[in-house]
Amino acid sequence: LASKHRQQRQDLLTPNRVFFLSPKHYTRNTITIRPLLPADLPRLSPLFGAYLDFYGVPRAPETENNFLAQRLGADDSTCLGAFAGGELAGFALCHHTHNSLRLAPAWILHDLFVSPAHRRHGVAKFLLDAVHTRARAAGACEVVLSTA
């Protein structure tokens, strides 16, 4: 059982190169992935609100903005944004933690969302690849997916 869980975790760290794209898909030349900063809050807020709506979470904009402001630029989390044509198309929010059994840093990917207009164009794939790359570069031994 432990080796099965280890393999599942390793699968999350190994980028999956097979995915389906619509005829109008993005490439590495047409999409930019970068960490979101506090100055990006006005762009992230509406997308985060759409994410909450998607899951049927009651909205509290002031609380949402406070939460996001604390996450952006904080040492305990990483929020990556995917930009297509200058528009924020999606985001991935990871929280930094530690793996006690491996005695190493780990990341938890809690939130991944792509706006409806940009879905099925590879945006989520680019975000997952970027999370994997940045987590490894930061010394994380694993990325754990924990979404609703």
Side-chain angles (χ1 to χ4, degrees):
L1 184 60
S3 67
K4 179 182 175 186
H5 289 296
R6 236 187 323 274
Q7 180 60 45
Q8 288 172 342
R9 284 194 302 257
Q10 185 60 37
D11 290 346
L12 287 173
L13 289 173
T14 304
N16 183 354
R17 297 293 174 205
V18 179
F19 61 100
F20 298 98
L21 296 174
S22 70
K24 178 195 161 196
H25 68 275
Y26 297 120
T27 66
R28 294 210 186 276
N29 294 330
T30 58
I31 194 156
T32 302
I33 308 283
R34 68 167 175 80
L36 295 178
L37 304 170
D40 294 308
L41 184 60
R43 296 170 101 175
L44 178 58
S45 269
L47 197 58
F48 192 77
Y51 168 73
L52 295 176
D53 289 342
F54 179 82
Y55 282 107
V57 174
R59 301 290 309 280
E62 186 176 331
T63 304
E64 295 162 20
N65 285 338
N66 288 339
F67 171 79
L68 291 173
Q70 290 172 2
R71 301 284 67 78
L72 298 180
D75 291 336
D76 67 347
S77 59
T78 297
C79 189
L80 299 178
F83 292 85
E87 180 184 350
L88 183 59
F91 69 90
L93 179 57
C94 300
H95 301 280
H96 306 167
T97 187
H98 293 88
N99 179 312
S100 301
L101 297 177
R102 295 175 74 183
L103 305 175
W107 283 20
I108 301 172
L109 174 56
H110 273 289
D111 309 299
L112 176 67
F113 186 75
V114 175
S115 72
H118 296 282
R119 289 184 187 155
R120 304 198 54 78
H121 299 300
V123 175
K125 165 78 170 93
F126 287 122
L127 281 165
L128 289 171
D129 281 350
V131 165
H132 171 261
T133 299
R134 288 177 183 272
R136 283 287 189 192
C141 67
E142 64 184 353
V143 175
V144 178
L145 180 61
S146 176
T147 63

